[in-house]
Amino acid sequence: MEVLTQEEYTSKLAMLQMRLDNFEEIRRAEQQFYMGLITREENEGKIKALTE
């Protein structure tokens, strides 16, 4: 079993919390992509901006 350091744990938790906070925006970007309104690159860029 691999053990995380406190720093790794905090980093992973912050990333997941940001994703949770921006859930609606991420979902909206994915819907736009599936509907053909934006390209894959635009979709990935939006999601990356929301999760970093």
Side-chain angles (χ1 to χ4, degrees):
M1 185 164 87
E2 190 173 318
V3 179
L4 296 175
T5 65
Q6 184 63 38
E7 184 178 306
E8 291 171 326
Y9 172 78
T10 303
S11 173
K12 288 180 185 273
L13 186 61
M15 182 186 68
L16 292 171
Q17 184 62 45
M18 186 176 297
R19 191 165 176 89
L20 181 62
D21 292 344
N22 293 315
F23 177 78
E24 288 297 321
E25 291 297 321
I26 292 169
R27 193 181 72 146
R28 191 172 300 130
E30 290 176 348
Q31 285 178 336
Q32 290 172 347
F33 169 68
Y34 291 126
M35 292 173 64
L37 301 173
I38 61 175
T39 65
R40 177 178 302 277
E41 292 79 21
E42 290 173 319
N43 182 43
E44 291 172 355
K46 285 184 176 187
I47 292 174
K48 185 175 181 181
L50 291 168
T51 56
E52 288 183 344

